Amino acid sequence: NRGSHTGGVNLGDGEDTLFNAGTLTGEVDLGTGDDTLTLSGDGLANLGAASVDGGAGTDALILEGASVTASEDTDFTNFETLEKRGAGAWTLSGTSSFTSVDVNEGLLVNAAGGRLTASDGTAVGQGAAFANDGTHLGAAVVALGGTLMGNGRFKGPVTVNRTLRPGRSIGTLTFAQGVTLRNGSTTVIELDASANGGAGAADALAITGGSVEIEGGRLGVEVTHLALFDAVRVDQTHKVIDGTSQGGEVIEGTFSSTLLGLPETVSSAFIIFETIYGPDSVEIRIQETNGSDLIGAARSDNQRAVAEQIGTDFNSSAEAAGALLPALAPFALAHDATLRAFLDRQAPLQGGAIQQGTAMALGQVLDRANGRLGQLGAAPGALTSLSPQAFAQASRPFTSSSWRASSRP
């Protein structure tokens, strides 16, 4: 059916195949025998029926579609298998029961309020994703290359071999019989640093039964809306795995690595990021620093000199800090290589004007240098730029020999 059919459908005995890429209105009964119902989202399939009964035999439901988003609030009963095919997305919002569910391609969503039973389990294949925003009964296994996400509740044990993303945006995914995070898996937590009036909010795994077996793998934190250097310094702790409702030992093992930023790891001179393990929880802490760790990214003498002076000037006065903010803010979550390039731009190896954005704060160094040169008889304002050597000397105790060797009037 690719058009519109009004009235019930009863296929009776035998091995039957029903294909729908249109609209069926009325009850659907596949009857006895081994039957197959295929709903093709490419035709915007709509069953308009309160329920579809697979009947006796071994019956299969296939949801397919390459490029559309389709939904179905029909209740499916007496089906043995559900298979999701194609790159498109299908959403089930009714109450449905299967022996097994295979998400082989694209995205399958169990909507909020939906109830999906897979007595032998749900398998999420490579390149596919399953979002559970409702209630899932039965076990679930995420294969290599698969993704599990959502804000719902799993009432059976869950094993993740690749990617676990609790929440869709910020949210909580609940496990009533525990979860196993295999070596090679990645658990991705989104952290919105500006939520809740600046207190922040993060995704979480709620463990109401069973345990969390962490067999290695990675914990990745994606930070959004991180407004550094504002009036309230960022200092947040978030419980991202929470088994406190049970008490006792819930957490078994640790992650092999914890990454700030995905897919690329960020090492920030302005953020202290740590993972805190407890017997019944795992927490992440993100804390803003004053940039004093910027020197840790430096490799050359030039970079270290600039980093030292930025740290000094940042803390010297509110005016100096305010002048630095426009230049530093874009580098709040930056790789060390990016920070080193930034440091080099502030005092080029061949001297030259200091870059706009840090000029006000770093210009204080130039003023001090001119003042010292004036003590040697140089004309006022003779020094208009700093070489790396002069820049470094500007923050050290003054000696006439050092200035003669490194400054360029």
Side-chain angles (χ1 to χ4, degrees):
N1 175 50
R2 294 185 180 274
S4 179
H5 180 278
T6 301
V9 175
N10 191 323
L11 298 184
D13 299 335
E15 296 183 2
D16 303 307
T17 298
L18 175 59
F19 177 91
N20 182 52
T23 300
L24 288 176
T25 302
E27 301 292 331
V28 177
D29 186 345
L30 300 185
T32 60
D34 299 338
D35 306 312
T36 300
L37 170 62
T38 300
L39 302 181
S40 176
D42 289 331
L44 297 179
N46 179 14
L47 283 178
S51 66
V52 176
D53 189 346
T58 301
D59 304 299
L61 172 63
I62 298 173
L63 304 177
E64 64 177 25
S67 59
V68 300
T69 300
S71 62
E72 194 58 67
D73 60 3
T74 300
D75 296 341
F76 295 92
T77 58
N78 293 318
F79 280 85
E80 280 61 51
T81 64
L82 165 62
E83 182 181 359
K84 168 66 180 68
R85 297 177 182 174
W90 269 92
T91 299
L92 298 178
S93 56
T95 298
S96 301
S97 179
F98 305 89
T99 302
S100 64
V101 174
D102 291 294
V103 186
N104 293 325
E105 298 175 289
L107 171 65
L108 177 66
V109 180
N110 181 33
R115 190 175 180 89
L116 177 62
T117 299
S119 56
D120 285 351
T122 292
V124 184
Q126 182 174 0
F130 175 47
N132 180 33
D133 293 330
T135 299
H136 179 280
L137 291 88
V141 176
V142 182
L144 292 174
T147 300
L148 185 66
M149 53 189 170
N151 295 297
R153 179 180 180 87
F154 284 95
K155 288 197 169 183
V158 175
T159 301
V160 179
N161 289 285
R162 184 54 73 191
T163 304
L164 175 61
R165 284 181 170 269
R168 295 222 280 164
S169 190
I170 301 296
T172 299
L173 192 56
T174 301
F175 299 86
Q177 291 191 36
V179 58
T180 299
L181 306 175
R182 299 287 194 199
N183 188 28
S185 68
T186 300
T187 301
V188 183
I189 300 296
E190 180 184 351
L191 192 162
D192 186 339
S194 67
N196 298 325
D203 291 330
L205 310 179
I207 315 300
T208 59
S211 62
V212 180
E213 297 184 17
I214 307 174
E215 300 179 353
R218 306 185 303 172
L219 175 64
V221 180
E222 296 178 334
V223 182
T224 60
H225 304 128
L226 183 61
L228 293 178
F229 315 121
D230 58 8
V232 179
R233 180 152 296 187
V234 175
D235 188 354
Q236 301 175 6
T237 300
H238 301 280
K239 195 167 291 183
V240 296
I241 301 181
D242 187 359
T244 55
S245 64
Q246 298 187 72
E249 296 285 340
V250 177
I251 309 299
E252 300 178 11
T254 61
F255 292 101
S256 58
S257 61
T258 304
L259 311 176
L260 178 60
L262 284 172
E264 296 185 5
T265 306
V266 174
S267 176
S268 174
F270 304 98
I271 290 295
I272 295 174
F273 177 72
E274 60 182 330
T275 309
I276 305 167
Y277 292 91
D280 56 8
S281 67
V282 177
E283 296 178 326
I284 56 173
R285 185 185 185 196
I286 183 168
Q287 182 182 24
E288 176 186 343
T289 73
N290 59 14
S292 59
D293 292 334
L294 188 62
I295 194 171
R299 292 293 180 268
S300 67
D301 290 342
N302 175 68
Q303 294 163 2
R304 280 188 287 272
V306 175
E308 288 174 357
Q309 195 57 52
I310 287 177
T312 299
D313 285 353
F314 192 91
N315 292 291
S316 64
S317 67
E319 291 79 10
L324 282 165
L325 297 187
L328 294 182
F331 299 91
L333 294 174
H335 295 272
D336 283 356
T338 303
L339 291 173
R340 286 192 283 272
F342 164 73
L343 293 173
D344 281 332
R345 286 198 301 272
Q346 306 315 309
L349 291 173
Q350 301 302 318
I354 295 174
Q355 296 291 309
Q356 183 178 7
T358 58
M360 289 178 62
L362 299 182
Q364 297 175 3
V365 182
L366 198 63
D367 292 341
R368 289 198 293 273
N370 272 313
R372 289 167 179 172
L373 288 175
Q375 297 174 19
L376 298 176
L383 186 61
T384 58
S385 66
L386 291 177
S387 68
Q389 295 80 10
F391 190 93
Q393 291 293 341
S395 60
R396 298 188 178 118
F398 168 74
T399 64
S400 58
S401 60
S402 66
W403 277 111
R404 280 195 292 270
S406 60
S407 59
R408 299 182 186 180

